[in-house]
Amino acid sequence: MPSTSLPVAANASSFSNVQDLTEPLHRPKVRDRASALAGLAVSFGILACVAAAFGRLDVGTLFANLPKTPLFWALLAAAYMLSPALDWMILRRLWKLPVAGLVPLLRKQVANELVLGYSGDAQFYCWARSAMPTQEATFATLRDMSILSALAGNLATLILMAMAYPALSRVASGPLLHGAVLATLVIVVSSLGIFAARQAFFKFSLSRPALAGIFLGHMVRIAVMLVLNALLWAMLIPGATLGMLLVLGTMRMMLSRVPLIPGKDALLAGGALALLGSDAMIVGALATVAGLIFTLHALVGLATGIHDLARRHRQKPPTAPSFG
């Protein structure tokens, strides 16, 4: 009687091989679906926040006393586009990111500012995984960029606090100022300490020249942003001194170190009111710039959110692989 052990063994081996083939395909498929759902959730979150933002905007009051010169609007547009443009230039060099990549980068900025800090980074990662599947170490590259951005921001904040503290202590004093300075120092120094001990937590994936270029780019971005904001505030505050503009720029950088909280520009007006007193001209100028940035976030969020949902609707679901 012939033995049947060989065919059974062969069938079992074939079934095992099919499992080996489908398992690596199944796991990325699950991850891609999870990434797509996460990105979709952030898009809906952006649209919800945009709807709430438009409900709170008083457009008539906001635009009533704005400068009529084109220079003001050019400076505002440059300040708004600075961070997405820098990220695009970095990723253009690393990934050959096309110009169309500016759209998800703008959506990233809106999500971070309207929804929740770093929610935009999470959505951009989901977009990069689906739009540029040939790129390796997507998460590690974006993580390195975020760490270097935070490092540049922390170092710039320490430098500005040292430069502006004499002027800040002349216009503000008391436990509120000392508490704000201490809280900022705790956040900044602890972040720098974690970076110094990074070997115990992570290792950079990019080369040293790439890391140096990204860090230098973020330092230049911070310097340019400070100049642009100072020029915008100076156009709204007649007679503003360099010391006052330095204080306002330092306060903005201090507030930007607070993690996870969106709408840092809107907080600056409240922070200035608390620390500097009821100077209506200064608070009004800060609130005006914050309101304009908020309006831009709402408009860009509406456009990019609709664009993202339309793109997802056009995409066809992937077909399951067959084995024959």
Side-chain angles (χ1 to χ4, degrees):
M1 184 175 182
S3 172
T4 59
S5 60
L6 183 58
V8 171
N11 290 337
S13 176
S14 299
F15 180 73
S16 176
N17 290 338
V18 172
Q19 281 188 316
D20 292 341
L21 289 170
T22 56
E23 185 65 20
L25 291 170
H26 177 68
R27 289 180 180 174
K29 187 176 180 181
V30 172
R31 287 198 298 267
D32 291 342
R33 286 179 177 176
S35 297
L37 289 174
L40 188 62
V42 176
S43 292
F44 277 118
I46 290 174
L47 293 177
C49 290
V50 166
F54 279 123
R56 294 196 301 266
L57 283 175
D58 187 355
V59 179
T61 303
L62 180 63
F63 287 89
N65 299 314
L66 288 179
K68 302 300 188 293
T69 60
L71 177 61
F72 178 85
W73 299 102
L75 292 173
L76 183 68
Y80 190 82
M81 291 297 300
L82 183 60
S83 291
L86 174 65
D87 286 342
W88 179 82
M89 287 188 288
I90 293 172
L91 292 174
R92 177 70 175 178
R93 185 173 182 179
L94 296 176
W95 292 352
K96 306 299 182 185
L97 186 69
V99 177
L102 273 172
V103 175
L105 286 170
L106 284 167
R107 189 165 60 247
K108 165 190 166 184
Q109 177 171 263
V110 171
N112 285 341
E113 292 298 323
L114 288 187
V115 183
L116 182 67
Y118 297 110
S119 62
D121 296 82
Q123 192 196 42
F124 184 76
Y125 166 72
C126 296
W127 174 87
R129 280 289 306 274
S130 62
M132 309 191 72
T134 59
Q135 294 298 331
E136 298 181 357
T138 304
F139 176 81
T141 299
L142 296 178
R143 177 207 62 195
D144 290 356
M145 290 176 58
S146 296
I147 290 172
L148 291 171
S149 175
L151 176 63
N154 288 334
L155 289 177
T157 300
L158 285 179
I159 294 171
L160 283 172
M161 289 175 66
M163 293 173 57
Y165 190 79
L168 185 59
S169 61
R170 286 196 297 269
V171 296
S173 60
L176 185 60
L177 172 63
H178 298 307
V181 170
L182 180 60
T184 305
L185 287 176
V186 169
I187 295 172
V188 170
V189 174
S190 61
S191 299
L192 293 176
I194 292 174
F195 176 80
R198 64 187 181 278
Q199 294 298 334
F201 300 96
F202 69 93
K203 292 183 179 179
F204 284 119
S205 65
L206 299 174
S207 64
R208 288 189 176 182
L211 295 173
I214 293 171
F215 177 77
L216 179 61
H218 282 298
M219 291 298 290
V220 172
R221 170 185 61 81
I222 292 169
V224 173
M225 181 64 78
L226 288 170
V227 171
L228 290 174
N229 280 321
L231 292 174
L232 287 170
W233 295 330
M235 296 182 73
L236 295 172
I237 307 173
T241 64
L242 184 60
M244 176 56 66
L245 296 175
L246 178 61
V247 166
L248 295 178
T250 303
M251 290 175 58
R252 188 182 186 278
M253 287 298 299
M254 290 169 64
L255 284 172
S256 71
R257 297 300 91 203
V258 181
L260 299 179
I261 298 178
K264 302 293 198 314
D265 288 288
L267 291 176
L268 180 58
L273 180 61
L275 289 175
L276 305 180
S278 57
D279 191 322
M281 187 172 294
I282 293 176
V283 175
L286 297 178
T288 298
V289 173
L292 291 173
I293 295 293
F294 190 77
T295 304
L296 286 174
H297 285 323
L299 293 174
V300 173
L302 180 63
T304 58
I306 293 175
H307 175 272
D308 184 57
L309 294 179
R311 178 183 64 86
R312 294 176 186 277
H313 179 72
R314 289 194 303 266
Q315 287 178 340
K316 295 181 180 180
T319 58
S322 60
F323 301 92

